[in-house]
Amino acid sequence: MYRCDMKSMEDKIKTFSKFGDAGHGGITRYALSEEDKMARAEWLRRMEAIGATIEMDDLANMYATLPGSEPGLKRIVMGSHCDSVKNGGNYDGILGVMSAMEVLETVVRENIPHRHPLTAMIFTNEEGSEFPPCMMCSGTMAHDYMPERFRDNFEYSKMMASKSILTPDVTFGERLAAFPYKGDKANRMSPEKYMALFETHIEQGPILEDAGKDIGVVTCVLGQMLYRVKFYGFAAHAGTFPMKKRHDAFHAAAEALCYLHEEIDKLGYEDLVYTTGEVVIHPCVNTVIPDFFDFSIDVRHENPEVLNKVREILFSLEKREWQKCKCEVVLGWNRDTVYWDKKLVGYVREAVEELGISHMDINSGAGHDAQYISYMIPTTMIFAPSDKGLSHCEVEHTSVEQCTNAATVMLNAVLKADKDQ
Amino acid sequence: MYRCDMKSMEDKIKTFSKFGDAGHGGITRYALSEEDKMARAEWLRRMEAIGATIEMDDLANMYATLPGSEPGLKRIVMGSHCDSVKNGGNYDGILGVMSAMEVLETVVRENIPHRHPLTAMIFTNEEGSEFPPCMMCSGTMAHDYMPERFRDNFEYSKMMASKSILTPDVTFGERLAAFPYKGDKANRMSPEKYMALFETHIEQGPILEDAGKDIGVVTCVLGQMLYRVKFYGFAAHAGTFPMKKRHDAFHAAAEALCYLHEEIDKLGYEDLVYTTGEVVIHPCVNTVIPDFFDFSIDVRHENPEVLNKVREILFSLEKREWQKCKCEVVLGWNRDTVYWDKKLVGYVREAVEELGISHMDINSGAGHDAQYISYMIPTTMIFAPSDKGLSHCEVEHTSVEQCTNAATVMLNAVLKADKDQ
C-alpha cells in the first residue's frame, strides 16, 4: 500500500486557504474571480513542477496528466472544484482538488507504476455562488449523456447567459471570456478519453464523526424532490376581524408543518431528511392577516419507495382545509438516486480496508460534480469527516490526517482501477 | 329628529368614487396626490356652495364652517380623511368626510338652528400609504397634548422628512410645499377654538353585519401591543444533516405559533384579536435549515388585564426551547385603550335610539384620526357596517342607506352636543 504525505497535504491546505481568505478563518472564492485565478495559478505551478501535462477546456476546467506506461489506455481522473460559497470553509471542493494533486505528487515521488494516464482536475463553478446553477460545468460537459429531462438545465448557451447575482449586467460567458485559464472544447472530459472519475470531498454532515469513522465509502447521491406547499386564506384587518372568521394562511401553514413532521417521522426512516427552508408570505404586514403562505420542502432518501411515502403524506395535505385555508402542493423538481459505479465503490472499500482505516458506507445528501459525470463515465466518491458536520461556513474543518487519509484511499483505489482496461 | 338625504349622499359617493378610480370598483387616492387634489376641489366647491367659510392649515387639513347663532362658542367639528390605501375602497375615510358635508348641507337645507359653529373637515394623510406614519396630521396637530411617550412619533420636523415609498427622494414636506390646499398653522384644530370632534367611519369588520345592526356606537379604540417572537437555531445542509441533530428555527416557530393559538384561545375572550402577519426567515434558501425565524404578533383588547394575560403567555415561550431553538420575545410598541368621551358617546346612543335605527356598542380595533384628537378635545366615533367585514380592498362596501343613517345619527348627536357650552 502507498501512502500520501501529511506534511505535503498540510502545506497545500495552508496555501490554498490564503486565496480568498476573508480574515476570519474561512474563504470566499467565487468561480472565475481573482481568488479563483490565484488558486489555479498555484495548482498550475505545482502540477507543472511534477511534470504533468496541462490542458484546459472551453469551460476553464483544468486537467494535469501524468502519462501511463501502456499506450492507448484511457485516463483515470481525480478532481473536484476550487470555488466556494460566500464565507465558506477551506475544505469543501478544494479538498478534492488537493487530494488529486497529492495523489499525482505521491505517484511521482514514490515512482509508483501505473498503466493508465492519471489526471488531476479542477471543475469550474460547482457552487454557482455568483453564476447559478450549481455544478454548471460538469453538467454542461455531461449534457449529451444526461437523461433527456435534465438536459435543458445545462444547455451551453443558457449557461453562458447566466447572470451574475453580484453585478447582474455581467454574464458567465463574459466573465469566462476574460478568464485566462481556458483552452479548447476538445479538451473536455469525454468517455472516449477518460475511463473513470474519483472525487474526494468532505462529508458536510456529522455521520462519520458520530460513528467515529475516518472514511466514508460513498455509494450514491440521494434521490431528492422539492415541493412548494401553498396555503390560500384571505386578508383582513388585524384589529377589526374576529378570530373565528379568519382564514389565516400562516396559522394554516404552521399547523400543516407540525403535522408533516409528525406524519413523516412516523414512517421511522432515520436516514430520511427533509427541510422546509424557504418561505413566502403575503402581504407580510403586521396589521394584516396573511392571505398566502408558501414553504418549500426538500426531501432526500436513497429509496424511491420512501420518497413516494413522503409524497403521499404531502399530497394528503390537499385533502383537507387548514384553518379554513385551501392547500396546494406543487412539484419544484426531483431527481432519482444516482448510484456510483459498483466496481469503483468496491475498489475504494478494498483500499480502505487494506489500509486499516476505519470506514463505513455512506450516501451523499449533497450534489457534486461527480453526479453529472456519472452519466458519462464510471464514477465514485470518497468522503472525509466534517467536524460537527458543519459545512458552507467558516468553521468548516477536517484534520490534516483525515484529509491525507482520504487522499491515500483515493490513490490506492485508483491503482486498483488502473489494473482494468 | 332631522334626517340626512339619501339622494344627496348617493351623489357624493358616486362623485368621490371617481377620484382615483382604477377601473375595477375601488380607488387609489394617496394623500397629496392629483386624485387627492380632485377630491378636495370637489369638497371645496360643495362647501362654498352652502356658504361655509373655508380654512386650511399648514398641514393641508381643510375646514368648512357654518357660523352658530351664539357668538363666542367653540366649534363642533366632524370629519375624517379622503386618502386611501393602494387599491382601497370607496368608503374608508371618505365616508366620514361625506357625512360631515351631508350634515352641514342638511343644516343649511333644513335651516336647522344651532348655537355653535359647525365645521366639516378633511384630515391629511391618515393612511400613510405613500408617506408613513398613519394618522400623520392628526398626530402632529395633537403632538403637544399627547402622552410624552408618543410625542416623539409625531414631531413636525420628522413628519416633514418622511420619505415617499414610491419615489424615495421626495419627502412629505416637499410634496406638501407643492400642494395647493394649504394655509396658516393658526388654522389648526385646537382646544381653544374647538369643543368636540365626531368622526363617522366604516366598521372595517363584520360585527355589525353579523349582529344585524345598522349603527355602531363606538366606545373606544382598543389597546394594542406589538411583539416580535424570535427563534434562534442553526443552519446546516438540507441533504447531509440528520433530522435528530437539527435546530430548525422555522419548525420551532410553527410549533410555538400553534401553541400560542391554543393557549390564547383557552383564555376564552371572544373579543380578543391577535395577528401574526409579518415574518422574517434566514437564510430563506430551500437547501438550508433555517437558523432564524421571527414573527410579529399584534394583540388588541379593551381590557389591559386581558392584554397582560396574553403577554404572560407570550413570555412563557422564552422559558423552554422549541425544537432545540432559543426563543426571545421583544416588545415592538403598545398603546393603552383610548376611550371616547362618555358624554359624546351618550349623545350618539341617544340619537340612534330616538331615530329608531338598530345599533350596538362597539369598539374600534383599527386606529383613526379621532384617537389622537381625543388627547386634545372630547371626541367620539360612529360606525356604519362593512359588507362581509371587508375593508382596505376594492370590494369594500356600505349601502347608501347605511351611509345616510350614519350621517343622520351624527347630525342629531351633534345637535345634542350643541346644547352644551
Side-chain angles (χ1 to χ4, degrees):
Chain A
M1 305 302 285
Y2 297 95
R3 293 207 178 249
C4 291
D5 184 58
M6 268 184 66
K7 286 271 173 238
S8 167
M9 184 58 99
E10 186 171 23
D11 173 60
K12 277 193 267 296
I13 295 170
K14 281 190 178 157
T15 304
F16 281 90
S17 298
K18 286 182 210 154
F19 308 132
D21 180 6
H24 21 79
I27 54 148
T28 298
R29 189 167 58 223
Y30 290 161
L32 308 187
S33 66
E34 288 305 311
E35 295 76 18
D36 188 6
K37 269 189 216 169
M38 291 183 223
R40 286 159 182 262
E42 180 67 21
W43 179 89
L44 196 61
R45 196 183 66 69
R46 290 179 184 239
M47 291 296 91
E48 283 176 340
I50 57 164
T53 305
I54 308 299
E55 290 170 333
M56 300 169 227
D57 68 22
D58 61 324
L59 299 164
N61 299 311
M62 297 176 82
Y63 310 81
T65 304
L66 296 177
S69 57
E70 262 181 51
L73 292 186
K74 292 181 183 178
R75 299 174 180 183
I76 300 173
V77 58
M78 297 157 278
S80 190
H81 58 99
C82 64
D83 63 315
S84 82
V85 296
K86 189 179 177 188
N87 296 323
N90 299 320
Y91 300 88
D92 180 355
I94 193 71
L95 175 62
V97 172
M98 295 187 297
S99 302
M101 293 166 74
E102 182 58 31
V103 167
L104 292 204
E105 286 167 359
T106 306
V107 164
V108 170
R109 194 173 61 238
E110 313 253 335
N111 201 14
I112 302 172
H114 56 100
R115 300 163 61 230
H116 292 261
L118 302 182
T119 301
M121 80 162 290
I122 295 174
F123 287 104
T124 300
N125 197 28
E126 194 266 353
E127 298 289 0
S129 302
E130 183 177 359
F131 298 98
C134 301
M135 304 175 274
M136 182 195 275
C137 293
S138 51
T140 305
M141 279 202 291
H143 176 271
D144 297 348
Y145 304 89
M146 282 180 176
E148 193 78 46
R149 65 200 155 104
F150 300 156
R151 276 192 206 171
D152 187 46
N153 299 332
F154 290 99
E155 292 294 346
Y156 178 81
S157 57
K158 264 198 188 173
M159 296 304 99
M160 291 305 116
S162 171
K163 286 190 177 170
S164 166
I165 58 164
L166 303 173
T167 42
D169 50 333
V170 176
T171 64
F172 182 78
E174 287 162 352
R175 188 67 62 77
L176 187 63
F179 196 68
Y181 299 106
K182 288 192 317 294
D184 280 351
K185 186 178 172 187
N187 289 334
R188 287 191 193 179
M189 199 184 292
S190 71
E192 290 70 38
K193 223 162 48 175
Y194 288 81
M195 183 183 92
L197 168 75
F198 290 79
E199 182 172 2
T200 293
H201 206 279
I202 52 168
E203 179 200 339
Q204 304 184 268
I207 294 170
L208 293 176
E209 184 180 77
D210 287 357
K213 305 293 185 187
D214 285 315
I215 288 290
V217 178
V218 191
T219 56
C220 65
V221 174
L222 291 185
Q224 182 179 357
M225 58 190 196
L226 181 74
Y227 283 89
R228 310 283 323 189
V229 186
K230 297 165 188 276
F231 297 87
Y232 301 90
F234 72 72
H237 194 292
T240 55
F241 212 79
M243 298 308 289
K244 280 192 180 162
K245 302 193 74 152
R246 296 183 177 201
H247 300 204
D248 177 344
F250 179 23
H251 188 194
E255 205 179 51
L257 185 78
C258 293
Y259 173 84
L260 275 179
H261 275 274
E262 276 168 35
E263 293 301 308
I264 298 176
D265 293 354
K266 269 187 210 161
L267 296 176
Y269 298 102
E270 288 218 351
D271 49 354
L272 172 68
V273 286
Y274 59 99
T275 304
T276 53
E278 204 174 292
V279 156
V280 178
I281 178 172
H282 180 272
C284 203
V285 171
N286 61 44
T287 55
V288 180
I289 301 155
D291 60 358
F292 179 71
F293 196 103
D294 167 11
F295 62 78
S296 64
I297 181 163
D298 169 305
V299 190
R300 309 194 196 193
H301 196 272
E302 183 180 345
N303 186 347
E305 298 280 315
V306 174
L307 291 178
N308 266 335
K309 285 183 188 172
V310 176
R311 195 177 280 117
E312 272 171 30
I313 292 170
L314 273 172
F315 279 99
S316 78
L317 295 180
E318 289 187 338
K319 290 185 191 132
R320 52 174 271 208
E321 285 192 338
W322 298 86
Q323 295 298 326
K324 303 192 206 92
C325 297
K326 201 176 159 303
C327 171
E328 190 188 12
V329 178
V330 179
L331 176 66
W333 58 275
N334 60 15
R335 70 158 186 242
D336 307 329
T337 293
V338 173
Y339 289 95
W340 300 140
D341 183 77
K342 278 208 165 62
K343 200 159 63 170
L344 297 186
V345 172
Y347 292 155
V348 172
R349 202 181 286 116
E350 281 171 34
V352 70
E353 273 169 12
E354 287 165 20
L355 286 160
I357 298 171
S358 65
H359 64 93
M360 65 186 286
D361 281 11
I362 192 169
N363 52 47
S364 173
H368 296 288
D369 286 315
Q371 96 195 42
Y372 289 126
I373 300 304
S374 73
Y375 292 121
M376 206 159 60
I377 58 173
T379 296
T380 198
M381 288 188 79
I382 297 155
F383 275 175
S386 293
D387 281 8
K388 298 190 183 65
L390 298 175
S391 172
H392 278 197
C393 55
E394 296 191 326
V395 297
E396 177 184 283
H397 186 256
T398 300
S399 74
V400 176
E401 191 180 354
Q402 288 168 325
C403 291
T404 313
N405 277 339
T408 294
V409 171
M410 183 157 69
L411 166 60
N412 289 282
V414 162
L415 292 176
K416 288 177 188 293
D418 184 58
K419 300 204 173 84
D420 297 334
Q421 274 313 324
Chain B
M1 306 301 289
Y2 297 96
R3 294 206 178 248
C4 292
D5 183 59
M6 266 184 68
K7 286 269 174 237
S8 167
M9 183 58 98
E10 186 171 22
D11 174 57
K12 277 194 267 296
I13 295 170
K14 282 191 178 159
T15 304
F16 281 89
S17 298
K18 287 182 210 153
F19 308 132
D21 180 5
H24 22 79
I27 55 148
T28 298
R29 188 166 60 221
Y30 291 161
L32 308 187
S33 66
E34 287 305 311
E35 294 76 19
D36 188 6
K37 269 189 216 167
M38 291 182 221
R40 285 158 183 263
E42 179 68 20
W43 179 90
L44 196 62
R45 195 184 66 70
R46 290 180 183 238
M47 291 297 91
E48 283 176 341
I50 58 165
T53 305
I54 307 299
E55 291 169 335
M56 301 168 226
D57 68 22
D58 61 324
L59 299 164
N61 298 311
M62 297 177 81
Y63 311 81
T65 304
L66 296 176
S69 57
E70 263 180 51
L73 293 187
K74 293 182 184 178
R75 299 174 180 183
I76 299 173
V77 58
M78 296 157 280
S80 191
H81 60 98
C82 65
D83 64 315
S84 81
V85 296
K86 187 179 177 188
N87 296 323
N90 298 320
Y91 301 87
D92 180 355
I94 194 71
L95 175 62
V97 172
M98 296 186 298
S99 302
M101 293 166 72
E102 182 58 31
V103 168
L104 293 203
E105 286 168 359
T106 306
V107 164
V108 171
R109 192 173 60 237
E110 312 254 333
N111 202 14
I112 302 172
H114 56 101
R115 300 162 61 230
H116 292 262
L118 302 182
T119 301
M121 80 164 289
I122 295 174
F123 287 103
T124 301
N125 197 28
E126 194 265 354
E127 297 290 0
S129 302
E130 183 177 359
F131 298 98
C134 301
M135 302 174 274
M136 181 195 273
C137 293
S138 51
T140 305
M141 279 202 291
H143 175 272
D144 297 347
Y145 304 89
M146 280 180 178
E148 193 78 47
R149 65 200 153 103
F150 300 157
R151 276 191 206 172
D152 187 45
N153 300 332
F154 290 100
E155 292 295 347
Y156 178 80
S157 57
K158 264 197 190 174
M159 296 304 99
M160 291 304 117
S162 172
K163 287 189 175 172
S164 167
I165 58 164
L166 302 175
T167 41
D169 50 333
V170 175
T171 65
F172 181 79
E174 287 162 353
R175 188 67 61 77
L176 186 63
F179 196 69
Y181 299 107
K182 286 191 319 295
D184 281 349
K185 185 178 172 185
N187 288 335
R188 287 190 194 180
M189 197 185 293
S190 71
E192 289 71 36
K193 224 162 50 175
Y194 287 81
M195 184 182 92
L197 168 74
F198 290 78
E199 181 172 2
T200 293
H201 206 278
I202 53 168
E203 179 200 340
Q204 304 185 267
I207 294 170
L208 293 176
E209 183 180 78
D210 286 356
K213 305 294 185 186
D214 285 317
I215 288 291
V217 179
V218 192
T219 57
C220 65
V221 174
L222 291 186
Q224 182 178 358
M225 59 190 194
L226 181 73
Y227 284 89
R228 309 282 323 188
V229 185
K230 296 164 189 276
F231 298 87
Y232 301 90
F234 72 71
H237 194 293
T240 56
F241 213 78
M243 298 308 290
K244 281 192 178 162
K245 302 194 73 154
R246 296 185 176 199
H247 299 206
D248 176 344
F250 179 24
H251 188 193
E255 204 178 53
L257 184 79
C258 292
Y259 173 84
L260 275 179
H261 274 274
E262 277 168 34
E263 292 301 308
I264 298 176
D265 293 354
K266 271 187 210 161
L267 296 176
Y269 297 102
E270 288 217 351
D271 50 354
L272 173 67
V273 286
Y274 59 99
T275 304
T276 53
E278 204 175 290
V279 156
V280 179
I281 179 172
H282 179 272
C284 203
V285 171
N286 61 44
T287 55
V288 179
I289 301 154
D291 60 358
F292 179 71
F293 196 102
D294 167 12
F295 61 80
S296 65
I297 181 163
D298 168 303
V299 190
R300 310 194 195 193
H301 195 270
E302 182 178 347
N303 186 347
E305 299 279 315
V306 175
L307 291 178
N308 267 335
K309 285 183 190 172
V310 176
R311 195 178 280 118
E312 273 171 30
I313 293 170
L314 272 172
F315 279 99
S316 77
L317 295 180
E318 289 187 335
K319 291 184 190 132
R320 53 172 273 204
E321 286 191 337
W322 299 86
Q323 295 298 328
K324 306 192 204 90
C325 297
K326 201 175 159 302
C327 172
E328 191 188 11
V329 178
V330 179
L331 177 65
W333 58 275
N334 60 15
R335 70 160 186 240
D336 308 330
T337 294
V338 173
Y339 288 96
W340 299 140
D341 182 77
K342 280 209 164 58
K343 200 159 63 170
L344 298 186
V345 173
Y347 292 155
V348 172
R349 202 181 287 115
E350 282 171 34
V352 70
E353 274 170 12
E354 288 165 19
L355 286 159
I357 298 172
S358 65
H359 63 94
M360 65 186 285
D361 281 13
I362 192 169
N363 52 48
S364 172
H368 296 288
D369 285 316
Q371 96 195 43
Y372 288 126
I373 300 304
S374 74
Y375 292 120
M376 206 158 63
I377 59 174
T379 297
T380 198
M381 289 188 77
I382 296 154
F383 275 175
S386 293
D387 280 8
K388 299 190 182 64
L390 298 174
S391 173
H392 278 196
C393 54
E394 296 191 325
V395 296
E396 178 184 282
H397 187 256
T398 301
S399 73
V400 176
E401 190 179 356
Q402 289 168 325
C403 291
T404 313
N405 276 340
T408 295
V409 171
M410 183 156 71
L411 166 61
N412 289 282
V414 163
L415 292 176
K416 288 176 188 291
D418 185 57
K419 301 206 172 84
D420 298 332
Q421 275 312 325

